[in-house]
């Protein structure tokens, strides 16, 4: 049974897709053992509580230094006996120590076709604003392993999504979430769970 801890910062629609996929059997051999957010107000925490998943707030703001935060985050992940860490809209940099201790055991969902529109400063709506500004006709989402870089790890899955003439960053974000993110992240977890 793959023990999965999900790290979140916002609304948690990707977390909800994972919860629903475990419940309906799309994701097999998996137990969601914890949800950790840096943001106490994240609606993702409500989704976790409704699904009876242990939920924790671990925020850099609550620690004297970033290093002490990093240690607290890693300690909680270990305390949960985590096999796989899933970043589902988590906006805090993963500590290098955690990347090394969980090498090939941390995955991230990014709302573009990496290597386009990724790296420092590309998150949330900013990704879609850049894609529209560039005038791309296709965008999408990428699930990848997390390494020391930002959105640079080995790609697991990608899915292309059409960009429409009248798209706004919001409409494009929603379509990529519905048609790509909410499918790719569960599929990646299931692939890892079946190979674990
Ligand atoms: C969204 O912008 C999504 O594209 C990206 O992170 C954000 C969080 O979405 N992966 P949610 O918290 O999963 O709804």
């Amino acid at each position: 049974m793959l023990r999965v801890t999900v790290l979140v910062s916002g609304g948690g629609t990707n977390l909800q897709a994972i919860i629903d996929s475990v419940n309906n059997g799309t994701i097999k051999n998996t137990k969601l053992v914890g949800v950790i957010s840096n943001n106490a107000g994240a609606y993702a925490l409500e989704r976790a509580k409704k699904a009876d998943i242990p939920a924790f707030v671990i925020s850099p703001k609550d620690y004297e230094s970033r290093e002490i935060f990093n240690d607290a985050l890693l300690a909680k992940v270990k305390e949960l006996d985590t096999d796989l860490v899933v970043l589902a809209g988590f906006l805090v940099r993963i500590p290098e120590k955690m990347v090394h201790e969980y090498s090939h055991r941390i995955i991230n969902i990014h709302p573009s076709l990496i290597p386009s529109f990724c790296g420092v400063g590309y998150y949330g709506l900013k990704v879609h604003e850049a894609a529209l500004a560039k005038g791309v006709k296709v965008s999408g989402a990428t699930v990848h392993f997390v390494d020391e870089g930002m959105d640079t790890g080995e790609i697991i899955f990608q899915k292309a999504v059409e960009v429409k003439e009248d798209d706004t960053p919001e409409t494009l974000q929603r379509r990529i979430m519905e048609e790509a993110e909410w499918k790719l992240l569960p599929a990646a977890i299931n692939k890892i769970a079946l190979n674990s």
Side-chain angles (χ1 to χ4, degrees), residues 7-17 42-44 47 87-91 108-112 123-128 140-142 173-174 176-177 181-182 185:
L7 275 50
V8 297
S9 297
T13 62
N14 279 285
L15 170 65
Q16 192 64 57
Y43 187 67
R47 296 180 191 269
L87 308 186
F90 190 62
L91 297 178
N108 181 50
I109 177 82
H110 184 76
S112 76
Y123 57 89
L125 280 177
K126 293 176 188 289
V127 174
H128 309 295
T142 304
Q173 178 182 54
R174 183 76 191 179
I176 287 173
M177 283 174 147
E181 292 181 46
W182 299 344
L185 201 46

Side-chain angles (χ1 to χ4, degrees), residues 13-86:
T13 62
N14 279 285
L15 170 65
Q16 192 64 57
I18 295 167
I19 292 168
D20 296 346
S21 295
V22 169
N23 290 341
N24 68 25
T26 303
I27 296 177
K28 297 170 177 56
N29 189 37
T30 294
K31 179 174 175 53
L32 301 178
V33 297
V35 170
I36 302 172
S37 180
N38 62 301
N39 169 11
Y43 187 67
L45 292 167
E46 295 309 309
R47 296 180 191 269
K49 288 168 189 165
K50 283 184 187 143
D52 294 323
I53 301 168
F56 309 91
V57 176
I58 300 180
S59 170
K61 296 200 294 265
D62 300 333
Y63 294 87
E64 283 168 35
S65 70
R66 177 53 65 101
E67 194 177 341
I68 297 172
F69 160 79
N70 288 346
D71 291 344
L73 180 63
L74 182 52
K76 178 57 72 177
V77 167
K78 288 179 164 181
E79 180 191 309
L80 292 166
D81 194 16
T82 301
D83 296 314
L84 178 70
V85 178
V86 176

Side-chain angles (χ1 to χ4, degrees), residues 66-155:
R66 177 53 65 101
E67 194 177 341
I68 297 172
F69 160 79
N70 288 346
D71 291 344
L73 180 63
L74 182 52
K76 178 57 72 177
V77 167
K78 288 179 164 181
E79 180 191 309
L80 292 166
D81 194 16
T82 301
D83 296 314
L84 178 70
V85 178
V86 176
L87 308 186
F90 190 62
L91 297 178
V92 175
R93 189 72 189 255
I94 297 301
E96 198 158 328
K97 190 177 174 190
M98 185 163 150
V99 172
H100 294 149
E101 289 200 31
Y102 281 80
S103 176
H104 254 76
R105 295 199 292 155
I106 308 174
I107 65 174
N108 181 50
I109 177 82
H110 184 76
S112 76
L113 296 175
I114 288 174
S116 298
F117 313 116
C118 64
V120 176
Y122 286 102
Y123 57 89
L125 280 177
K126 293 176 188 289
V127 174
H128 309 295
E129 287 163 3
L132 292 174
K134 185 64 184 170
V136 296
K137 306 309 171 193
V138 172
S139 189
T142 304
V143 184
H144 62 94
F145 286 107
V146 172
D147 64 8
E148 294 78 5
M150 177 76 79
D151 303 329
T152 53
E154 176 193 343
I155 290 173

